[in-house]
């Protein structure tokens, strides 16, 4: 049974029976991360876009663990050339890769993606995962609401991880609309309560999800794990 642990902000650890995936690891400079980059395990690291709160610890962890970084081509090239990352899979929107844990598709995201040194970070993306064990998980990552979420959810989703922080991404109202389009079995809020500008009441949002959709909202604290 796969498990998902919130590492604070938009960072997640997904464990399958054989592999550990990190999504957007931002640990050492995060005020809410329960673990440091030097202590985290990884076989694969998924990076959704170039902003520091997503790419920050990717190279550090990849170079220590040998993990494969999956991202857009601009970011994997930047990580390889500027930070010595050895194992990368660089794609682009709409493309997918079959990897040891299953299949991962780079999905549309409405955001920006400049890298910390000002380099072009390509287009931001979300990730749609189909694990070898059968489960489907969608990480919207940093994005505004968009109608094609209905299409992303059309194959059935066991879990959707959605930003609710507002200001930089969808806020609670649009994230509620996203749940209605995606129709996941479970939905988990992300990208909030890291800093004051993205403070949100996740339990209040969860009540609205429960009242207005068929999805089961799951609110976790940093360091907490759920199975699905
Ligand atoms: Ni961002
Ligand atoms: Mn962000």
């Amino acid at each position: 049974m796969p498990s998902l642990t919130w590492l604070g902000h938009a960072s997640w650890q997904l464990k399958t029976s054989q592999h550990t995936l990190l999504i957007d690891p931002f640990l050492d400079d995060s005020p809410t991360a329960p673990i440091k980059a030097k202590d985290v395990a990884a076989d694969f690291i998924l990076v959704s876009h170039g902003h520091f709160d997503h790419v920050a610890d990717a190279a550090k962890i990849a170079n220590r663990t040998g993990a494969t970084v999956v991202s857009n081509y601009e970011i994997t090239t930047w990580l390889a050339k500027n930070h010595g990352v050895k194992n990368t899979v660089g794609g682009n929107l709409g493309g997918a890769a079959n990897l040891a844990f299953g299949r991962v598709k780079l999905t549309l995201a409405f955001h920006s993606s400049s890298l910390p040194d000002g380099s072009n970070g390509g287009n931001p993306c979300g990730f749609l995962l189909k694990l070898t064990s059968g489960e489907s998980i969608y990480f919207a990552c940093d994005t505004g609401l968009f109608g094609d979420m209905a299409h992303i959810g059309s194959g059935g989703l066991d879990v959707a991880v959605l930003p609710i922080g507002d200001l930089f991404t969808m806020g609670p109202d649009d994230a509620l609309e996203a749940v209605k389009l995606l129709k996941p079995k479970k939905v988990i809020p992300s990208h909030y309560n890291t800093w004051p500008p993205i403070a949100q009441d996740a339990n209040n949002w969860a009540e609205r999800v429960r009242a207005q959709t068929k999805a089961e909202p799951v609110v976790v604290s940093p360091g907490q794990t759920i199975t699905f």
Side-chain angles (χ1 to χ4, degrees), residues 9 48-54 111-113 124 142-143 168-169 191:
H9 195 54
S48 67
H49 64 290
H51 293 161
F52 76 98
D53 57 319
H54 299 260
H111 196 65
S112 52
S113 183
D142 284 17
T143 186
F168 306 115
T169 67
H191 210 280

Side-chain angles (χ1 to χ4, degrees), residues 168-183:
F168 306 115
T169 67
M170 294 189 282
D173 292 351
D174 281 356
L176 179 59
E177 294 307 308
V179 178
K180 293 174 187 174
L181 294 173
L182 290 161
K183 298 183 169 64

Side-chain angles (χ1 to χ4, degrees), residues 106-145:
L106 278 60
T107 57
L108 193 64
F110 284 93
H111 196 65
S112 52
S113 183
S114 49
L115 285 155
D117 64 0
S119 298
N120 171 20
N123 288 310
C125 70
F127 294 107
L128 179 60
L129 279 69
K130 180 79 173 174
L131 302 181
T132 308
S133 48
E135 297 84 357
S136 292
I137 309 138
Y138 170 54
F139 293 90
C141 303
D142 284 17
T143 186
L145 175 66

Side-chain angles (χ1 to χ4, degrees), residues 141-228:
C141 303
D142 284 17
T143 186
L145 175 66
F146 54 93
D148 283 3
M149 284 182 174
H151 182 70
I152 290 171
S154 64
L157 293 174
D158 293 289
V159 179
V161 178
L162 304 180
I164 68 162
D166 216 350
L167 189 61
F168 306 115
T169 67
M170 294 189 282
D173 292 351
D174 281 356
L176 179 59
E177 294 307 308
V179 178
K180 293 174 187 174
L181 294 173
L182 290 161
K183 298 183 169 64
K185 286 184 191 158
K186 288 186 163 77
V187 63
I188 308 176
S190 182
H191 210 280
Y192 70 99
N193 286 2
T194 321
W195 304 285
I198 55 170
Q200 296 295 341
D201 183 340
N203 289 316
N204 176 271
W205 181 77
E207 278 175 33
R208 295 170 67 199
V209 170
R210 208 171 279 121
Q212 295 182 39
T213 78
K214 290 193 172 114
E216 178 194 349
V218 183
V219 175
V220 294
S221 305
Q224 196 180 338
T225 300
I226 68 147
T227 56
F228 56 94

